[in-house]
Amino acid sequence: MLSEELYNASDPILVEERKRARLFTKRFNDSSAEEGNLRQIILTDLIGEHGENLDIEPPFHCDYGSNITLGTNVYFNFGCLILDVAPVTLGDNVLFGPGVQIYTAMHPENWEKRAAGLEFALPISIGANVWIGGAAIICPGIEIGDRSIIGAGSVVTKNVPPDVYAAGNPCKVIRKL
């Protein structure tokens, strides 16, 4: 799965790992703001690696959690989703608006492979000091450069260079910052 090769999502080990993530995200999403220490403990158990000052507003959902690496001062607004079948890496000082979705999972174009339950995934990398606007979707295999801004509602299907404002469906560079 992590090697970008075809895999079967019904593999018992993967099913158990997803159940584990569901348990942690349920506990996190059911916690209150007054339980800040509990939330941090849950996030430390759920997320593969993260720096200081991680702030995620519930509800938050992910496939595994263990394939997510977050820098310092990362903020996710309400309702974010990360399908972390492949590695998802965020730099320092990254901000997500509400409802941002990150998809690493892919399905084969060949219908017989899809029908057999096979999938594959491509990693996503988001640089430092990036702001992703609300309801943006980041598709598999994308790299977003440092200091860039992705406009709200964008569907990012191609890499975004550093220091640009990009927006739209499909997302395109609008201007340099």
Side-chain angles (χ1 to χ4, degrees):
M1 178 177 86
L2 296 174
S3 66
E4 301 176 24
E5 299 293 325
L6 290 173
Y7 68 94
N8 188 325
S10 298
D11 178 277
I13 293 171
L14 297 178
V15 170
E16 286 304 311
E17 288 181 15
R18 286 193 306 274
K19 283 182 185 177
R20 176 190 169 278
R22 301 297 184 278
L23 176 66
F24 281 119
T25 55
K26 180 173 181 359
R27 287 180 185 162
F28 177 80
N29 292 332
D30 289 348
S31 67
S32 67
E34 291 75 29
E35 298 175 293
N37 288 339
L38 174 62
R39 283 185 175 175
Q40 289 304 310
I41 291 167
I42 293 168
L43 289 175
T44 297
D45 289 340
L46 174 65
I47 303 294
E49 184 179 329
H50 68 84
E52 298 291 319
N53 300 319
L54 173 60
D55 190 1
I56 298 177
E57 302 286 354
F60 170 73
H61 298 281
C62 63
D63 259 345
Y64 298 94
S66 57
N67 299 321
I68 301 171
T69 301
L70 307 173
T72 60
N73 302 315
V74 170
Y75 175 74
F76 290 9
N77 210 319
F78 299 99
C80 291
L81 166 82
I82 300 179
L83 300 183
D84 62 313
V85 178
V88 173
T89 305
L90 278 63
D92 295 339
N93 306 307
V94 173
L95 304 172
F96 278 16
V100 170
Q101 299 177 46
I102 294 181
Y103 307 150
T104 63
M106 297 278 294
H107 298 278
E109 290 180 2
N110 178 290
W111 72 268
E112 293 167 314
K113 290 179 181 178
R114 281 196 314 273
L118 297 177
E119 301 177 6
F120 68 102
L122 299 172
I124 291 175
S125 177
I126 298 174
N129 301 296
V130 171
W131 172 23
I132 310 288
I137 297 173
I138 314 298
C139 292
I142 295 299
E143 293 182 18
I144 298 174
D146 293 343
R147 300 170 301 280
S148 285
I149 298 171
I150 305 299
S154 296
V155 179
V156 183
T157 60
K158 294 186 177 170
N159 291 344
V160 175
D163 299 304
V164 299
Y165 172 74
N169 180 4
C171 188
K172 297 179 201 168
V173 174
I174 305 297
R175 69 181 191 287
K176 291 188 174 210
L177 296 174

